[in-house]
Amino acid sequence: MTEPLALSLTKICRSFGPVQVLHDVDITLAAGEVHALIGENGAGKSTTMKIMSGYLAPTSGAVALNDAPVSFANSQDAEAQGVVLIHQEFNLAEQLSVEQNIFLGHEKKRGFLLDKAAMQAEARALLARLNCQVDPSARVSDIANADKQMVEIAKALSRNARVLIMDEPTAVLTEREAEVLFVQVERLKAEGVAILFTSHKLDEVKRISDQITILRDGHVVSQGPTSDYNEDQMAEAMVGRDVSSLYPERTVPIGSDIALEVKGLSVAGFAHDISFTLKKGEILGVSGLIGSGRTETMEGLVGLRSTTGEVRLNGEVVHLKSPQQAQKAGMCYLTEDRKSRGLLLTKGMRENLTLQCLPDFTNVLIDQKSEDAALTKAIEDFDIRAPSRDVAVGNLSGGNQQKLLIAKVMLADPDIVIIDEPTRGIDIGTKQQIYEFIHALSGQGKSIIVISSEMQEVIGLADRVLVMRMGRIAGEVSGAELTEDKIVRLAMGLDVNKEEAA
Amino acid sequence: MATADTNPKPTMRLDLKVMGPILALVVLVVIGALMNGNFLSAGNITNVLSRSAFIGIIAVGMTFVITAGGLDLSVGSMAAFIAGLMILVMNGLLPVMGVGWPLVFVGMLTAIVAGTAAGFINGFLITNMRIEAFIVTLGTMGIYRSLVTWLADGGTLSLDFGMRAIIRPIYFDGILGISWPIIVFALVAILGEVVMRRGAFGRHAAAVGSNDQVARYSSVNVNRVRMMTYVGLGVLVGIATIMYVPRLGSASSSTGVLWELEAIAAVIIGGTMLKGGFGRVWGTVIGVLILSLIGNILNLTDGVSPYLNGAVQGVIIILAVILQRDKKAEG
């Protein structure tokens, strides 16, 4: 590794048209230091990172590398000078191999031909340096998310990155995968790389960062060594109000009638012999590692995948072959993947909101007045904040997209809602609002299944938690037993006193 | 988080995208009028519109197919095959039913049924068998073209002379001086525009073309929507053929050649996105008119050879797409 590099922003302002999104932002990334940039969605984190890495130019203010002012022409220019941004959504060519991806755009050549041997060797060395086991010739579409993240980092290192900027690197990783990443972050730090990352998980910010910068509405509201903050202080600075009571208390008792009963449900290749019940007004958490079959089970339940087994709704056996049938029967699934499965990013809020129940708004022709009325109500009920009503949904912040997605599904007025990762990639203020929506729904007697990778979330939200492991239910925890430790042991298959799932 | 790569003047771009095709049409009309006095005569306009009606009716259906993320290359051959079939059926039943309107109606029914079936076959292979639309319709394009050649034994299928006289008015007559093909084209276009803009089907088609996974997760029956776009197109090809057969009273292996490309080109010139997700039927109508006006102007004027028709059309198509490029769309 060549000389260490420090990147600093001084009095950076940035406007999009008339809207100023950054106000006098000062941040210094020192070599060999991990800097966390936190803030709510829309606080200006992405813009800041894009300015650091040459994707955007500041409207005013100075960017400096080792105290020498620079202005990056574009992201390639920034990369050439050692500053690399790793996007939250991976920028990998899924059909190419790991090695081809690492060298994409700057392939090693011998004469006119590719020097495959050299690239193989270097890819192997880079991955070894990251302690990553993945085979350089494996196709990227076949490897796990954590490995993709490592490939992104290897790609950055192959470009001799000395300032590494990571946009929510752990958002798509399980806790165990995140651990692997943190070890590598420590290693890079020791090698003198300056690292900046964003995260909504304050515990990991506390653990791995040395410095913190907190943004709110484009202003730096707090900055300093991580040791000066605890998680509550970070959250308060981000939101600007007290958020210590993140999870609402249950106010309405759980009903006694069984709304859903699943017996021996199997989804070929993903889930085997899943059985559970769900009462009216109950919030059931589903936990387990990514890949444990949680999502596939629920997709099977609503007819998105073919299944075998018995499903009873309000005591009656149903055979749901499609989401349309499930919706008619009063059961809806809210996907974890809002960008590619939940919302039409190029369409407006109105079209998205009513897509699920368009027939309800159609009387030969679509009744746009009642659609507009529904949107007005949804914006009010779910506190959706959009610059204008006809904005393309892709330009909304993640939190507002998620609120719109919930509004869309709730328009179908289901009795049972399955919410997969309700708060992935969402800031803490919006999280709190979403938890309140979920509790309000359960208060109305609706039954809710919440799938989540965040332990705190399932524990805080759910009345009872099913833990899945390798396509089976590993156990069920509730009441005083509902602890992180218990869930982790079940999810990892460690629990010796495992109760047999009924 | 998706930050808006804000466009400094989104309204200006939008205007150009909406107005572009209309402006191009106006410019063409002005050029045509300046170059030849006959251009704006009722006779010439009726001629241009009637001839463009076949492609136009098909292009309206094509708009839905493309909006839903599909493509249909088979429509030209399909039209030729249906025309051949229609003629064969009418000629075959002539001894039984005799010359007259009942036989014409049987012929029309044949065309509609054959169009529906052909659309269904395309749709079935694409949705249920999950084969790429390009491949399926490339295949059926070859099949129909070869079938009509075989039916005609390499030559021409001609409708019985007596029947021709009866059927002729379908192309050449009309109401109040407006010919039937123009009337049918107008009705199809209006209906198509309303369905696209205000119908649940149009909205669903755009949703499927925009992101079929989102549509599926939103309880939209994706396969049925796709299927219906192909069946609808098949029916419209049948209707176009009903309008076409009376014109010449015959069908051969050269009937409907390159219609598919003209229809697709008209759709794209009109501002529908080739990758799907957004479509507008009125734009397609303008696209059809632009394409047929180019041919007409080149025929009426001496300056440029009519043989360059294809070249001029090609330039217009490429220009249209360049003007309508959406910079905001993420690559």
Side-chain angles (χ1 to χ4, degrees), chain A residues 37-55:
Chain A
L37 179 64
I38 58 178
E40 290 191 274
N41 287 335
K45 303 188 300 283
S46 293
T47 311
T48 307
M49 287 187 291
K50 284 182 179 167
I51 288 173
M52 285 179 169
S53 53
Y55 284 85

Side-chain angles (χ1 to χ4, degrees), chain A residues 16 42 50 88 299 304 323-324 327 333 340-344 346-347 350 354 356 358 365-366 368 371 394 408, chain B residues 1-4 6 194 197-200 203-204 206-207 210-211 213-214 216-221 277-278:
Chain A
F16 290 112
K50 284 182 179 167
Q88 184 183 351
E299 288 185 345
L304 282 160
Q324 297 89 290
Q327 185 172 327
Y333 168 76
S340 59
R341 293 186 174 161
L343 296 169
L344 298 171
T346 56
K347 302 275 173 198
R350 181 167 55 86
T354 57
Q356 190 130 7
L358 203 51
L365 298 180
I366 297 172
Q368 295 191 346
E371 273 192 300
K408 166 183 158 181
Chain B
M1 185 171 93
T3 28
T6 40
V194 170
R197 200 185 272 262
R198 298 291 307 278
R203 183 78 67 81
H204 279 164
S210 177
N211 185 332
Q213 283 293 342
V214 171
R216 198 164 87 91
Y217 276 74
S218 306
S219 304
V220 174
N221 192 334
F278 175 78

Side-chain angles (χ1 to χ4, degrees), chain B residues 121-137:
Chain B
I121 291 169
N122 279 342
F124 178 81
L125 291 171
I126 291 161
T127 59
N128 295 59
M129 308 303 289
R130 297 171 185 280
I131 309 173
E132 285 281 337
F134 186 93
I135 302 299
V136 167
T137 58

